Amino acid sequence: MTDRQTVKQDGSDMSDGEFDRQLGALLSTPGDADTAILSRAVLSQLAKNSTSASAPLGAVLSEPLPWGAGFLGLLLIGGVFGYLGSTWIAGDGLLTLLTLGDPLALLGGF
Amino acid sequence: MAAMARGERAGLARLIALYGTGIRRYAAQMLSVRSEAEVVAQEVFLRVWTRAHSYDPDKGAVSSWLYRITVNLCIDHNRRCGFRRFVGLDAAPEFEDEMPGVEAQLDGRQRLALAHAAIKALPARQRQAILLKVAGALSTVEIAEALGTSAGATEQLLIRARAALRAHMDLEDG
């Protein structure tokens, strides 16, 4: 009762529910109700995504040189800016040396 | 949904078992490249997983929320594919036997070709509504929530879509 003749001949008399049911049956293909493959594919994607999300943390241990070089570069940039900033703000006078002297003395300087 | 928001994958597996078939069928009819339905269905559930915490039961049923995501993803996918085809990155859509010829004398194939052609000829909104009904088996209220319209407007879309489909099939039958 799901063939085209039924749709044609009974089309006007057929209830909306019956029409929808027949159309749905027509559009379904054998095996498309099986969601196992879809489920497996989605869960695999999730597993892959969660693995790749934690990868950067692991990269610090597996490839420390580029990360170390990056941090060293940032430290150097910070040092240069700090030096320029301190001389620009306070100048090169005795007062500046005294100001910097105290904290540097704690670190073993002067 | 609560289980999914807590990060339990079993909740997602249950959701796929419940709605996977309907979403795949809907996508297969809405996409310009039918074979992409599986990819879009996967994308829907991955998006559902990442946004499970944002689902609000007061705003509608889970099915409506799921199909709303599906409707939007299908539109995006068609738009992307159209652009890729335009710039020549993708091939033209698969050949579809819309006018049943000698080879399509077999009744089953002919019926399917007729139905596809009739659905494809519908205006986008009517096509969305009728496919949510027949492929997703949603109620009128759920369809209205998925499409962001009122139940009355959805009923009108369904009535017009059914009438157009019946007329198209009768016309093709001669």
Side-chain angles (χ1 to χ4, degrees):
Chain A
M1 288 298 284
T2 58
D3 65 2
R4 185 162 56 104
Q5 291 307 314
T6 312
V7 174
K8 181 191 172 187
Q9 287 164 5
D10 305 342
S12 52
D13 301 328
M14 200 190 302
S15 71
D16 290 345
E18 181 61 13
F19 180 80
D20 293 347
R21 198 191 60 75
Q22 288 198 15
L23 189 61
L26 194 61
L27 296 179
S28 66
T29 52
D32 74 347
D34 182 15
T35 55
I37 296 169
L38 178 63
S39 186
R40 204 175 310 133
V42 172
L43 294 174
S44 302
Q45 283 269 352
L46 281 181
K48 203 164 72 180
N49 290 350
S50 62
T51 308
S52 60
S54 60
L57 296 174
V60 177
L61 297 174
S62 62
E63 296 176 10
L65 199 61
W67 288 86
F71 280 119
L72 197 65
L74 284 174
L75 271 174
L76 282 173
I77 291 168
V80 168
F81 274 107
Y83 173 75
L84 293 175
S86 66
T87 52
W88 178 65
I89 292 167
D92 274 338
L94 184 64
L95 192 65
T96 308
L97 289 174
L98 287 174
T99 311
L100 292 173
D102 279 342
L104 285 175
L106 291 173
L107 298 171
F110 278 75
Chain B
M1 287 307 294
M4 278 178 57
R6 286 195 303 271
E8 291 175 20
R9 289 181 186 178
L12 181 64
R14 276 200 300 276
L15 214 61
I16 294 172
L18 276 173
Y19 298 106
T21 305
I23 284 174
R24 204 162 41 190
R25 275 183 196 161
Y26 174 85
Q29 296 303 317
M30 282 306 294
L31 293 172
S32 51
V33 182
R34 199 168 297 157
S35 56
E36 293 281 306
E38 187 78 18
V39 176
V40 169
Q42 286 179 25
E43 215 174 320
V44 168
F45 287 107
L46 287 172
R47 195 166 283 195
V48 165
W49 173 258
T50 53
R51 296 184 184 175
H53 61 277
S54 67
Y55 168 68
D56 183 359
D58 295 335
K59 287 184 180 171
V62 177
S63 53
S64 305
W65 186 62
L66 268 172
Y67 277 98
R68 188 169 204 151
I69 292 172
T70 311
V71 167
N72 291 335
L73 274 178
C74 285
I75 292 169
D76 289 349
H77 204 83
N78 280 342
R79 202 174 290 152
R80 266 203 311 272
C81 282
F83 178 73
R84 287 175 67 85
R85 268 201 307 278
F86 178 71
V87 296
L89 289 171
D90 276 354
E94 303 153 0
F95 173 72
E96 286 172 19
D97 192 7
E98 289 177 16
M99 291 297 288
V102 178
E103 198 185 329
Q105 294 279 324
L106 294 167
D107 198 41
R109 189 185 159 101
Q110 199 174 20
R111 272 187 286 128
L112 197 60
L114 265 176
H116 284 157
I119 289 169
K120 207 171 179 182
L122 290 174
R125 211 69 175 154
Q126 288 180 28
R127 193 169 7 143
Q128 288 168 345
I130 195 73
L131 285 175
L132 287 173
K133 186 78 180 172
V134 300
L138 299 188
S139 68
T140 307
V141 174
E142 287 171 325
I143 297 169
E145 285 169 357
L147 295 180
T149 55
S150 66
T154 304
E155 195 57 54
Q156 283 302 311
L157 285 173
L158 288 172
I159 288 167
R160 286 190 197 128
R162 285 191 197 104
L165 287 175
R166 280 173 166 148
H168 191 281
M169 286 177 154
D170 285 348
L171 195 70
E172 290 294 333
D173 279 350

